[in-house]
Amino acid sequence: MLPVGVPVWWDSANKFLLKDEFLSPVVKAYFGESLTGKGDLFATLVNSIIGQQISVIAADAISKRLVGMVGEITPENISKFSQEDIASCGLTKSKASYIHGIANDSENFLSPNFSEMSDAEINKHFVSFRGIGPWTSEMLMIFGLLRPDRFSIGDIGLVKAVKMLNPSIETKEEVDVFAERWSPYRTAAAWYLWRMLDPVPVAY
């Protein structure tokens, strides 16, 4: 079973992050909101692929067109349509092929018992599928599996938000090192950093 709703570790993460001089004001600003699991890893995958390297607004528009075409985002519904149909919703040919390919191999994609796997094992599984790179794997672990200590250094928004909190930071490597202060709850830290930047909570 995939986790649904507010992560069981969210309250502990809030208590931990409220002690951090940089992130505490952000946590207080959005206290009461949270990351939530939908229990639907395939839909999270599709939304993550759509969201690769485009704005939240553009991704939302494409997602709505895709739902309008296929209905509920399931492997079965995606497989009823061609790659060209999927691409017509505003996706690149490559993204449409990734979504279509994993829909047709969804049994393998969804088969592991993720709760018994380490983050490294889960990442190895995810990136074995065409179209899933490090960033998409991180989004799946954050939004699909609610793993508590993920931070995607490949995410432009997170890098931007950390630099806003601490203007002395200049490089991605420095961002990565700085984010270690939020372990073992870097997922919650990432969620609050995204929340800083967007008028609505980010979700995949």
Side-chain angles (χ1 to χ4, degrees):
M1 288 289 291
L2 294 171
V4 177
V6 180
V8 294
W9 44 263
W10 193 257
D11 287 345
S12 298
N14 278 334
K15 288 175 186 174
F16 179 81
L17 296 175
L18 281 167
K19 297 173 185 173
D20 183 81
E21 62 176 306
F22 291 93
L23 210 50
S24 174
V26 186
V27 175
K28 289 175 182 174
Y30 299 105
F31 206 79
E33 298 182 22
S34 73
L35 170 68
T36 54
K38 299 174 184 173
D40 189 341
L41 193 63
F42 182 75
T44 296
L45 167 76
V46 171
N47 288 327
S48 297
I49 289 177
I50 290 172
Q52 290 170 359
Q53 298 179 317
I54 63 173
S55 72
V56 173
I57 294 170
D60 187 53
I62 293 169
S63 294
K64 285 177 179 173
R65 284 198 292 271
L66 185 61
V67 170
M69 175 185 286
V70 309
E72 184 183 358
I73 302 296
T74 65
E76 296 75 23
N77 285 349
I78 292 288
S79 296
K80 291 174 186 174
F81 294 83
S82 68
Q83 289 184 32
E84 290 73 24
D85 291 332
I86 303 301
S88 72
C89 295
L91 287 155
T92 62
K93 287 183 179 179
S94 57
K95 285 185 179 183
S97 73
Y98 301 154
I99 290 170
H100 206 265
I102 297 174
N104 290 327
D105 195 20
S106 60
E107 194 171 331
N108 286 329
F109 174 68
L110 299 169
S111 64
N113 184 346
F114 295 107
S115 64
E116 295 182 355
M117 297 166 69
S118 68
D119 287 359
E121 289 168 337
I122 292 171
N123 179 66
K124 185 178 179 181
H125 171 72
F126 284 153
V127 300
S128 71
F129 291 87
R130 185 170 163 270
I132 302 181
W135 180 85
T136 304
S137 177
E138 293 285 4
M139 297 308 106
L140 288 167
M141 282 194 269
I142 290 171
F143 293 98
L145 303 180
L146 306 185
R147 304 293 280 206
D149 198 27
R150 306 311 308 163
F151 191 90
S152 180
I153 197 59
D155 189 272
I156 296 168
L158 291 181
V159 172
K160 177 183 176 183
V162 169
K163 288 180 178 180
M164 286 169 63
L165 285 184
N166 186 349
S168 70
I169 289 177
E170 296 179 355
T171 68
K172 272 188 175 184
E173 290 72 25
E174 287 173 331
V175 170
D176 208 19
V177 171
F178 185 77
E180 289 175 6
R181 67 190 290 117
W182 299 316
S183 185
Y185 296 113
R186 282 177 289 185
T187 295
W191 187 89
Y192 281 113
L193 291 167
W194 280 316
R195 191 68 186 88
M196 258 174 69
L197 300 176
D198 287 307
V200 294
V202 65
Y204 292 106

